[in-house]
Amino acid sequence: MKKVLLAIAGGMMALMATAQTKYESTAPVSDTITVMTYNLRFGERGSMQRIAREIIEADADFVALQVVDINTILVISRGNSGVNIISELADRTNMFGFFGRTVDMWGGYYGVGILSKYPIVKMEKFDLSNPRNVEPRIVLCGTFELGEKRMVFAATHFDYIDPETIALQAREADAYIRKQGLPAIIAGDLNSEPGSEAINVLDASMKRLTNGQLTFPAWEPVKAIDFIYGYPAEDFKFLESHSPAPSADAPSDHLPVISTFVLEKGR
C-alpha cells in the first residue's frame, strides 16, 4: 500500500510540474508584425468564407475593418444578411474580434471592427467630430499584449463628403493616438489621397506604412485611400506593403492593404 501511495504521489507531482511548466511558458512573439486594413462594404460582394481566407492567407496579426454590419437585414449582401460579421470572421480566422458601433441600421449595427491574434488589455471608442451631422465616425482603439510588450492598434473610417470634416477628423485621430503613450498603429479607409490635408496631417507626425497603392474601386483602382500609420515613427521599421491584384470578382469595392513592419521598441 505504501508503494502504491508513493506512486500516486509521484504521479501527481509530475502532473503538477508539467502543468506549472505549461503555465509559465509563453509562445514566442515575433517583433515582425503584419497588419491588414479592409473596407468590407457590409459583405455585399463576398462571402465570409472568402474574406476570412484572405485574412488567413495574409497571415495578419491585426486587421482593421470598415463598413462592418452586425445582424443587419440587407437583402443585397449576398447571403450575409443578418450575419454578425465580426463574430463570423473571428471564428473563421481564430482571432479575437472587437466591434465599435457608429449607427443602428436595419435591425442591427454598423461600424468598424478589429481582429487580433493577441490578447487585449483594454478597448475604447473615441468619437470623431461630426460638424455637418452626417454619418458618425469613430476611432476604435485597443491596447494589446505582445508577449512582454504592449502595442496600441486602432481602426477608423473618416468622412467621405466634406474635406474640412475629413481634415478635422484626421487631426483629432492624430492627437488621440499620440496620447496613448505606447507604440501605436492606426489603419483604415481615410477617404483621402496623398497630398490632401488629412494625409498631410498624419504624414507630419507618423510613419506611413503603405506604399500609396491604389485600392478603390477594387476592380479598376484609381484612388489610394486606405492607409496604415505607425506612431512614433522611430518605433517602426517598415518592410513592405501590398494589395491583391484588381479583380472584377473582388469581395469588396476596396482592395485590402497588407503591411509588414518591425516593432523596434515596446513598453
Side-chain angles (χ1 to χ4, degrees):
M1 177 62 108
K2 186 175 181 180
K3 290 182 179 178
V4 172
L5 290 173
L6 286 172
I8 292 172
M12 290 179 66
M13 291 290 288
L15 285 172
M16 289 173 66
T18 301
Q20 185 71 9
T21 300
K22 288 182 178 178
Y23 178 78
E24 289 179 350
S25 66
T26 56
V29 176
S30 173
D31 289 334
T32 301
I33 297 170
T34 297
V35 165
M36 171 187 276
T37 183
Y38 207 167
N39 180 320
L40 298 183
R41 191 175 167 82
F42 50 81
E44 179 190 18
R45 292 175 51 86
S47 68
M48 293 297 100
Q49 180 179 1
R50 181 173 175 188
I51 293 170
R53 186 171 67 245
E54 288 195 7
I55 295 170
I56 292 168
E57 289 174 352
D59 195 21
D61 295 290
F62 295 95
V63 186
L65 300 171
Q66 307 88 48
V67 190
V68 177
D69 279 16
I70 305 295
N71 304 330
T72 60
I73 305 304
L74 187 61
V75 176
I76 63 172
S77 62
R78 294 193 181 187
N80 293 322
S81 180
V83 167
N84 184 323
I85 289 179
I86 291 295
S87 293
E88 281 285 329
L89 291 179
D91 181 59
R92 291 175 183 272
T93 61
N94 196 30
M95 299 175 79
F96 301 108
F98 308 92
F99 175 73
R101 166 195 170 276
T102 56
V103 294
D104 298 334
M105 183 176 288
W106 302 315
Y109 306 106
Y110 166 94
V112 301
I114 289 174
L115 299 176
S116 169
K117 286 184 178 179
Y118 294 100
I120 191 171
V121 176
K122 66 175 182 177
M123 180 70 65
E124 61 185 20
K125 185 178 81 169
F126 175 68
D127 294 318
L128 297 171
S129 291
N130 184 18
R132 293 176 178 262
N133 196 30
V134 289
E135 181 182 321
R137 304 288 173 160
I138 67 169
V139 176
L140 182 64
C141 182
T143 301
F144 295 88
E145 292 179 318
L146 285 67
E148 297 302 314
K149 295 182 179 180
R150 291 187 175 187
M151 189 189 85
V152 166
F153 183 78
T156 194
H157 185 193
F158 291 167
D159 180 64
Y160 71 96
I161 298 173
D162 176 46
E164 291 185 4
T165 297
I166 299 171
L168 173 61
Q169 292 173 349
R171 290 192 295 272
E172 291 177 341
D174 175 67
Y176 175 73
I177 290 297
R178 288 191 285 109
K179 288 179 181 177
Q180 298 305 308
L182 288 169
I185 294 291
I186 184 167
D189 174 2
L190 305 186
N191 280 311
S192 306
E193 295 188 76
S196 67
E197 184 179 353
I199 297 302
N200 289 343
V201 165
L202 299 178
D203 282 345
S205 66
M206 301 187 185
K207 177 173 281 190
R208 196 194 298 182
L209 301 173
T210 57
N211 292 324
Q213 51 264 55
L214 304 179
T215 55
F216 180 84
W219 43 92
E220 193 175 342
V222 295
K223 292 184 177 182
I225 57 176
D226 299 275
F227 292 90
I228 300 168
Y229 279 92
Y231 177 83
E234 62 269 18
D235 281 14
F236 298 93
K237 180 182 178 182
F238 179 44
L239 300 180
E240 71 90 27
S241 182
H242 66 278
S243 292
S247 170
D249 191 40
S252 175
D253 60 341
H254 286 243
L255 293 173
V257 176
I258 303 105
S259 294
T260 301
F261 54 88
V262 174
L263 178 59
E264 295 193 310
K265 297 183 181 180
R267 305 181 180 100

